[in-house]
Amino acid sequence: MRRSALLLCLSLLPAAGAVKTNQLAYQKVSALAQARVTPVSLQASGVAPEAVTIPNEYLYERDLRVRAYSLDAFLKARIPDIEALARQGAIVKFLCIDGYAPTARLSDVLGQGGLIAVADADAPAGVVWPDAPYKNTVLGAGNIGNYLVWRAASFPAKPQPWGLDTVYILPANANLSK
């Protein structure tokens, strides 16, 4: 009898994944704004992609020339009041396809040279991103996808996620507990 009661209690506890999913769902609802990062939304930002060399790029650990869109231009095109939200202390959350979701103060991100990289500018035809070694695995182009990089290497504390799917703007008082 005790064992079955314990199993029942354990089955009622949320799994760690469910907790994270619930937190993300809550933040989606409480978001002040959001912008999906797709080829169409990037083109609709009204700014053409540019080829930019990222010195000692984080993932590839070498100078890397990328084809990229300005993060500021993308956010301003998708979220017209983005600068006012930054002044109000809003937080930016970068949700990635693998569930990784780094955050930063929006005011620390705007105007700092953020780029949404969409491809290796020097990759051979038909290759978007070359494979990249990461920890104990190798990331393929499908895992890298849209990738947030910074023009200057002087911003190592800024988020540099790959697989970028959606940018959420959250209120300054958003609960970001993990």
Side-chain angles (χ1 to χ4, degrees), residues 14-176:
V19 170
K20 185 171 186 172
T21 300
N22 289 341
Q23 288 172 347
L24 288 174
Y26 169 75
Q27 289 174 354
K28 287 178 184 180
V29 170
S30 67
L32 301 171
Q34 71 181 48
R36 289 282 321 269
V37 182
T38 67
V40 171
S41 66
L42 287 166
Q43 290 174 357
S45 69
V47 177
E50 57 182 304
V52 178
T53 299
I54 305 302
N56 194 27
E57 188 278 327
Y58 175 76
L59 180 61
Y60 289 94
E61 298 179 344
R62 61 177 169 82
D63 290 357
L64 181 69
R65 222 167 65 89
V66 297
R67 192 169 36 124
Y69 292 84
S70 162
L71 176 64
D72 286 6
F74 173 76
L75 291 175
K76 288 175 184 175
R78 308 306 295 170
I79 306 168
D81 56 348
I82 194 75
E83 290 168 332
L85 293 171
R87 286 190 301 275
Q88 294 166 11
I91 296 167
V92 61
K93 177 181 279 281
F94 300 100
L95 180 62
C96 302
I97 58 176
D98 65 359
Y100 181 57
T103 61
R105 289 186 310 198
L106 183 57
S107 60
D108 288 345
V109 170
L110 286 180
Q112 299 301 315
L115 299 164
I116 301 171
V118 297
D120 180 335
D122 296 323
V127 174
V128 177
W129 293 107
D131 289 347
Y134 180 71
K135 294 186 180 178
N136 297 327
T137 189
V138 174
L139 298 175
N143 297 105
I144 299 170
N146 298 314
Y147 179 21
L148 188 59
V149 296
W150 302 90
R151 288 183 191 272
S154 62
F155 292 109
K158 298 280 187 249
Q160 299 187 39
W162 49 87
L164 183 58
D165 180 70
T166 307
V167 178
Y168 290 96
I169 307 301
L170 304 170
N173 62 353
N175 179 4
L176 297 176

